[in-house]
Amino acid sequence: MAKQKKLIGAEAFEKYYFEQYGERWAALKASFTKESDYAEFHMEGTSESYFLDSASVLAALQLPIENASELLDLCAAPGGKTLVIASRMNQSAVLSSNERSPERKHRLSTVVQNCLPSDISERVKTSCSDGATWCTRQVECFDSILLDAPCSSERHVYNDPKYLNVWTPSRIKTVSNEEWALLSCAFRLLRPEGYLLYSTCALARDENDGMLERLLKKFKGQVQIMECTNFSEENLPAWIKTKLPVPEKTEYGYHVLPDQSDGAGPIYFSLVKKIRTSLHQD
């Protein structure tokens, strides 16, 4: 029997995502070519505005930070979600904002300096390192963590022939392994009773709900999936101008998809709480 030829490029991309989204896939593809729904972030006394997807604003707003003193944005560049979190943290809190790429870290530092008032930016510590290795040096040291993980970014792939023409399903497996290394590390960095918000701009289930399945299995009894409710525009800070999209519920989180949200997204997010077990008792 002749060995079946493996699909590659646009044909493979089409087959993979049609199997995941069925008849909805046509509408999703059409939405990828339209302009994203951008929000404007501009705080008084700063030199410039920052524009980010309104779905990214919605996701960042779900991380509870009211009582947090040590916060972490593990994969922070280019900096939009860092801005949203930093602008909402309490006056004594410190945010560590990390990026592994030196070039992107430079962009992150510039965004922090230009888009946040000095009394906030001086409490944002930017760094450049591989976030997946942080837990080899420290554990349980942050109250709230955002992990906006590098992902397949299908919207960008679809719109760029350079990436679409070489796409294969193995890309999902490779990226998922990188995401798992980051997610499992981030959970180890989280203090008991702390919150971790995991997000991607991916469509593939393996990168979204699939990651939460792995987390629940690996850290059995320590992970509580939380309901997100901060969806009202009434809760938006005055310095963010946007209309918030309405997310769709998934098994373990929420998904904003551009075909149903005026071009916003795609953004997946899930909020978890680290449960204090007997191993954590004083």
Side-chain angles (χ1 to χ4, degrees):
M1 181 181 295
K3 188 175 181 180
Q4 187 174 6
K5 183 180 178 181
K6 290 184 178 180
L7 294 180
I8 188 172
E11 187 178 1
F13 189 85
E14 176 74 19
K15 181 177 185 295
Y16 184 90
Y17 287 101
F18 180 80
E19 288 176 351
Q20 295 220 0
Y21 285 92
E23 297 302 323
R24 186 177 182 179
W25 177 233
L28 274 171
K29 284 191 300 180
S31 70
F32 291 166
T33 61
K34 298 178 181 178
E35 186 175 356
S36 297
D37 182 42
Y38 287 108
E40 180 181 9
F41 179 101
H42 188 96
M43 299 193 75
E44 185 176 352
T46 59
S47 61
E48 62 182 55
S49 293
Y50 186 93
F51 294 89
L52 69 162
D53 193 303
S54 60
S56 294
V57 174
L58 180 73
L61 289 173
Q62 306 315 310
L63 181 65
I65 60 174
E66 293 80 5
N67 300 313
S69 59
E70 296 284 342
L71 299 93
L72 172 64
D73 187 351
L74 193 55
C75 300
K81 293 185 179 71
T82 276
L83 294 181
V84 176
I85 294 173
S87 70
R88 297 173 53 240
M89 64 184 182
N90 64 58
Q91 294 183 353
S92 61
V94 174
L95 170 62
S96 297
S97 193
N98 179 69
E99 170 57 41
R100 68 181 178 182
S101 162
E103 294 79 10
R104 285 168 58 84
K105 188 268 181 183
H106 176 72
R107 169 62 176 155
L108 170 65
S109 298
T110 300
V111 166
V112 168
Q113 291 303 312
N114 292 348
C115 300
L116 290 172
S118 58
D119 63 317
I120 299 178
S121 64
E122 67 187 11
R123 291 183 286 114
V124 179
K125 302 176 181 179
T126 59
S127 59
C128 182
S129 65
D130 181 358
T133 67
W134 277 42
C135 60
T136 64
R137 300 184 295 274
Q138 55 189 131
V139 294
E140 297 190 344
C141 48
F142 293 99
D143 303 302
S144 292
I145 298 175
L146 169 65
L147 172 57
D148 184 24
C151 68
S152 291
S153 191
E154 293 94 342
R155 183 171 187 161
H156 298 293
V157 170
Y158 182 76
N159 288 317
D160 191 334
K162 179 177 67 173
Y163 296 109
L164 182 60
N165 291 339
V166 297
W167 190 92
T168 69
S170 64
R171 172 66 177 161
I172 303 297
K173 183 176 181 180
T174 299
V175 174
S176 295
N177 288 337
E178 294 173 353
E179 290 164 342
W180 173 245
L182 287 162
L183 180 57
S184 58
C185 181
F187 192 77
R188 291 182 173 94
L189 293 168
L190 189 64
R191 288 175 176 144
E193 306 303 314
Y195 293 95
L196 167 62
L197 184 75
Y198 173 76
S199 72
T200 77
C201 58
L203 293 176
R205 186 186 185 280
D206 286 352
E207 298 183 56
N208 296 329
D209 275 351
M211 286 294 108
L212 275 300
E213 282 185 351
R214 293 181 69 172
L215 193 71
L216 287 163
K217 182 177 180 180
K218 175 67 176 180
F219 299 96
K220 188 174 182 180
Q222 298 181 54
V223 181
Q224 180 180 357
I225 305 292
M226 305 298 293
E227 181 180 1
C228 293
T229 59
N230 194 15
F231 300 150
S232 173
E233 291 172 19
E234 296 178 357
N235 298 327
L236 269 177
W239 49 87
I240 302 177
K241 307 299 183 185
T242 191
K243 178 182 178 181
L244 291 176
V246 178
E248 304 173 31
K249 188 72 180 71
T250 69
E251 186 174 3
Y252 299 114
Y254 302 82
H255 220 171
V256 177
L257 295 170
D259 63 322
Q260 295 291 327
S261 56
D262 295 324
I267 290 290
Y268 170 89
F269 56 91
S270 179
L271 178 66
V272 304
K273 182 178 182 180
K274 190 171 191 175
I275 302 302
R276 184 183 295 275
T277 67
S278 59
L279 296 177
H280 294 122
Q281 299 298 325
D282 296 331

